[in-house]
């Protein structure tokens, strides 16, 4: 597992764009304001690009890679076409399946089961319908928290770009693979629930 995932606090900034098909993000260390990871959706097909500008945007497949600024792969997030509920796969830097997210039916605010590679339940990602606020919870214990950081009225009004703060609980060991799933989930929240 890449050592950049051993931190507990991350600022995720979506790239600004009026008419953009691909979702691209930069991930910062909030303390140093340095970019520590890049999230890019480079493998986007022609028809997927077209559908991203329609009401079918939430159904389109995605293939996102998160890398360090030097180009080392950290993780990959993939989803095929989603008709009703999303099922997303997460791979480590060696393309080994680490786990999955399965969207749950009839959840207010959004809810995903976070599963390991053998589909064992690790935790639940729950959202609030009143705000952009998501928590990773297991047995009523919060493992991580994602919240939207406001970018300012002009930027929010005229673009679809968002900023997110991810805080992982200090009790999660630095080498625990659930950190890969938590980082991947931030991208899934935006693409599956908030687009």
């Amino acid at each position: 597992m890449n050592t950049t995932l051993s931190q507990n606090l991350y600022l995720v900034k979506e790239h600004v764009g009026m008419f953009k098909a691909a979702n691209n993000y930069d991930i910062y260390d909030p303390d140093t304001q340095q970019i520590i990871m890049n999230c890019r959706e480079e493998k986007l097909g022609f028809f997927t690009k077209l559908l991203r500008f329609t009401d079918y945007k939430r159904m389109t497949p995605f293939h996102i890679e998160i890398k360090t600024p030097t180009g080392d792969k950290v993780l990959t997030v993939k989803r095929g076409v989603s008709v009703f509920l999303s099922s997303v796969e997460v791979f480590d830097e060696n393309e080994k399946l680490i786990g999955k997210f399965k969207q749950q039916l009839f959840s207010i605010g959004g809810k995903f089961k976070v599963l390991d590679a053998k589909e064992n339940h690790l935790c639940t990602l729950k959202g609030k319908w009143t705000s952009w606020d998501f928590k990773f919870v297991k047995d009523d214990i919060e493992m991580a928290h994602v919240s939207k950081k406001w970018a300012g009225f002009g930027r929010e009004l005229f673009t679809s770009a968002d900023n997110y703060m991810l805080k992982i609980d200090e009790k999660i060991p630095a080498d625990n693979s659930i950190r890969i799933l938590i980082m991947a989930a931030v991208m899934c929240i935006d693409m599956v629930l908030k687009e």
Side-chain angles (χ1 to χ4, degrees):
M1 189 171 84
N2 195 294
T3 55
T4 56
L5 293 174
S6 62
Q7 294 184 205
N8 295 322
L9 198 59
Y10 301 90
L11 172 62
V12 180
K13 289 186 175 185
E14 185 176 7
H15 284 199
V16 175
M18 293 284 280
F19 301 105
K20 61 184 179 73
N23 290 289
N24 296 307
Y25 306 85
D26 290 324
I27 302 165
Y28 292 80
D29 178 336
D31 294 329
T32 64
Q33 296 295 309
Q34 296 293 314
I35 295 175
I36 55 174
M37 290 181 273
N38 299 304
C39 175
R40 301 293 183 259
E41 190 177 20
E42 296 170 342
K43 299 177 182 179
L44 200 58
F46 176 74
F47 290 109
T48 302
K49 285 181 185 178
L50 286 178
L51 289 171
R52 291 278 173 95
F53 295 104
T54 69
D55 290 340
Y56 300 106
K57 183 176 184 171
R58 283 192 184 181
M59 297 178 181
T60 58
F62 54 80
H63 180 128
I64 298 171
E65 291 184 345
I66 297 180
K67 297 178 181 178
T68 63
T70 57
D72 297 327
K73 191 184 289 187
V74 177
L75 64 96
T76 304
V77 185
K78 297 179 188 177
R79 180 186 77 178
V81 174
S82 173
V83 177
F84 193 54
L85 294 176
S86 284
S87 181
V88 180
E89 295 180 318
V90 180
F91 301 85
D92 69 6
E93 70 272 16
N94 300 314
E95 291 297 318
K96 177 184 169 194
L97 181 67
I98 295 297
K100 300 177 181 179
F101 307 117
K102 290 203 174 178
Q103 191 175 8
Q104 294 190 304
L105 190 61
F106 304 121
S107 64
I108 297 173
K111 191 173 187 181
F112 287 88
K113 281 185 181 177
V114 180
L115 310 169
D116 68 12
K118 296 179 181 175
E119 302 219 5
N120 297 313
H121 185 262
L122 298 175
C123 64
T124 303
L125 174 61
K126 297 179 181 180
K128 287 184 182 178
W129 70 274
T130 56
S131 65
W132 212 104
D133 193 56
F134 292 86
K135 295 178 181 182
F136 292 84
V137 181
K138 182 175 183 177
D139 301 325
D140 293 328
I141 298 170
E142 187 176 311
M143 301 170 75
H145 181 243
V146 182
S147 60
K148 184 172 179 179
K149 185 176 167 87
W150 192 63
F153 183 70
R155 184 168 167 188
E156 296 287 337
L157 185 63
F158 296 110
T159 71
S160 62
D162 293 313
N163 296 334
Y164 311 105
M165 284 299 296
L166 168 63
K167 183 176 183 188
I168 300 174
D169 192 286
E170 297 170 357
K171 296 181 189 111
I172 308 278
D175 60 349
N176 191 326
S177 63
I178 198 159
R179 287 175 171 269
I180 295 173
L181 294 168
I182 289 170
M183 180 58 71
V186 176
M187 306 310 143
C188 291
I189 292 168
D190 189 54
M191 295 185 72
V192 175
L193 298 175
K194 298 298 176 184
E195 287 293 319

